[in-house]
Amino acid sequence: SSLEIVLKKYLSSFIVEKDEEEEIEVKEEVSSNGKSVQESKQAQEGKFTQEGRQAQEGKLIQDNNLVQEKSSQENNSSQADNSSVKEQAPEDEFNVKGIDYILGLHYFDNDKESYMDIVKCFYEQSKEHIANLEKFYESKDWKNYKILIHSVKGMSLTIGAADLSEDAKKLQFAAEKEEAGYITANHNIMIEKYKGIMNGLSKYMEADDELESLRQKLMTSFDEFDQSSSLEIIEKIKNGEDGDISDDDINILDKMKEYIDLFDFNSAAELLKTWGGGHDE
């Protein structure tokens, strides 16, 4: 909470300016699909004169040119940044449609373990988030819809799901202005993209759960001084049947085998705890 107070104090002006810029982009996209809610109301009430309509059209054209120029500059900058990221980041087998893994990993200074912790958190929250977004959408509860879609926007970008984050950002500002037409036209598209990413992540999350289960079984075999079972589980983990095993992991498992061969289950158990398996007791 203290950190939040400090951030708000020093970043408040930037956040306001950024939100206003993003709001212009959303309004432009809504306008490209038809009249905005405010325009429709004014047209229905007959408040536009011929000169007023011409002036508004001129303003929309001017705003459109400014937004396009800004978007072009941001795209060029983003492409340059992504190119730099891809040159620096390591190769990896993690591959999920809708997620730029190299970009996401870059946000964590190429720390795969920290990155995957956040990906797992994102995955575990997704089912509840999608259900609540659907509920708020059906009830037209735009206040709570805006709050939740804001969270999806931030978490998506953090893991490298830039397209989903962009869709969420536009829906957030539409919800803030209660532009139901835009939300209706784009909500389902965003949800399908969200679900697609979840489906892609499922194989990695299930493998991680299986690996955690094996670690717990290994600790149980240590507690029971079961040498044969311990060696069997270690070999299964080393073969990578239930998770992504690195060279460092294999070295740790080999060290555990050395302890078990000597019936030193206490040392093996301590090593397993530092590796992230078993209980802390």
Side-chain angles (χ1 to χ4, degrees), residues 152-180:
V152 173
K153 176 189 74 173
M155 286 289 286
S156 299
L157 187 59
T158 300
I159 67 169
D163 287 344
L164 177 60
S165 178
E166 182 68 16
D167 289 352
K169 178 182 73 175
K170 292 174 180 177
L171 285 167
Q172 175 194 336
F173 284 103
E176 184 175 327
K177 300 300 181 182
E178 297 188 359
E179 295 178 343

Side-chain angles (χ1 to χ4, degrees), residues 117-135:
D117 284 343
I118 299 302
V119 169
K120 186 174 183 180
C121 180
F122 178 84
Y123 179 81
E124 290 173 347
Q125 293 177 348
S126 64
K127 188 173 182 180
E128 181 180 359
H129 280 180
I130 290 173
N132 285 330
L133 282 171
E134 294 280 34
K135 180 180 71 175

Side-chain angles (χ1 to χ4, degrees), residues 6 52 89 179 187 201 213 224 241 256 269:
V6 173
E179 295 178 343
H187 169 81
L201 285 174
S213 176
E224 296 174 352
E241 297 176 17
M256 285 185 202

Side-chain angles (χ1 to χ4, degrees), residues 93-258:
E93 295 179 357
F94 184 83
N95 185 12
V96 175
K97 184 178 180 181
I99 295 180
D100 184 340
Y101 172 60
I102 302 300
L103 178 61
L105 195 61
H106 174 69
Y107 292 146
F108 293 84
D109 197 24
N110 293 329
D111 183 342
K112 179 181 176 182
E113 184 176 353
S114 297
Y115 171 75
M116 291 306 298
D117 284 343
I118 299 302
V119 169
K120 186 174 183 180
C121 180
F122 178 84
Y123 179 81
E124 290 173 347
Q125 293 177 348
S126 64
K127 188 173 182 180
E128 181 180 359
H129 280 180
I130 290 173
N132 285 330
L133 282 171
E134 294 280 34
K135 180 180 71 175
F136 297 146
Y137 172 73
E138 293 297 333
S139 63
K140 293 181 172 53
D141 182 354
W142 305 134
K143 180 179 178 180
N144 284 309
Y145 185 94
K146 179 193 72 173
I147 294 171
L148 184 53
I149 202 69
H150 173 79
S151 176
V152 173
K153 176 189 74 173
M155 286 289 286
S156 299
L157 187 59
T158 300
I159 67 169
D163 287 344
L164 177 60
S165 178
E166 182 68 16
D167 289 352
K169 178 182 73 175
K170 292 174 180 177
L171 285 167
Q172 175 194 336
F173 284 103
E176 184 175 327
K177 300 300 181 182
E178 297 188 359
E179 295 178 343
Y182 180 85
I183 299 174
T184 300
N186 293 277
H187 169 81
N188 289 331
I189 296 173
M190 182 276 299
I191 290 293
E192 288 305 310
K193 191 174 292 186
Y194 199 168
K195 288 180 177 178
I197 290 175
M198 292 307 102
N199 290 335
L201 285 174
S202 62
K203 61 180 179 181
Y204 296 99
M205 299 300 105
E206 289 167 3
D208 186 66
D209 290 342
E210 287 292 329
L211 178 58
E212 186 61 29
S213 176
L214 284 176
R215 285 171 167 170
Q216 297 299 331
K217 290 179 181 178
L218 185 58
M219 180 58 78
T220 299
S221 70
F222 291 168
D223 292 340
E224 296 174 352
F225 302 99
D226 188 339
Q227 186 184 52
S228 61
S229 178
S230 297
L231 293 173
E232 182 181 341
I233 294 172
I234 287 176
E235 284 303 315
K236 188 173 184 180
I237 296 175
K238 280 181 62 177
N239 290 333
E241 297 176 17
D242 298 283
D244 182 17
I245 303 301
S246 68
D247 290 340
D248 289 339
D249 293 331
I250 291 176
N251 290 334
I252 292 173
L253 291 166
D254 284 340
K255 187 63 177 178
M256 285 185 202
K257 283 185 63 178
E258 293 178 11

Side-chain angles (χ1 to χ4, degrees), residues 31-50:
S31 296
S32 68
N33 293 328
K35 291 182 177 179
S36 68
V37 173
Q38 184 64 26
E39 287 176 327
S40 298
K41 288 180 179 178
Q42 290 175 328
Q44 291 170 0
E45 294 170 2
K47 291 185 177 179
F48 283 144
T49 63
Q50 183 63 29

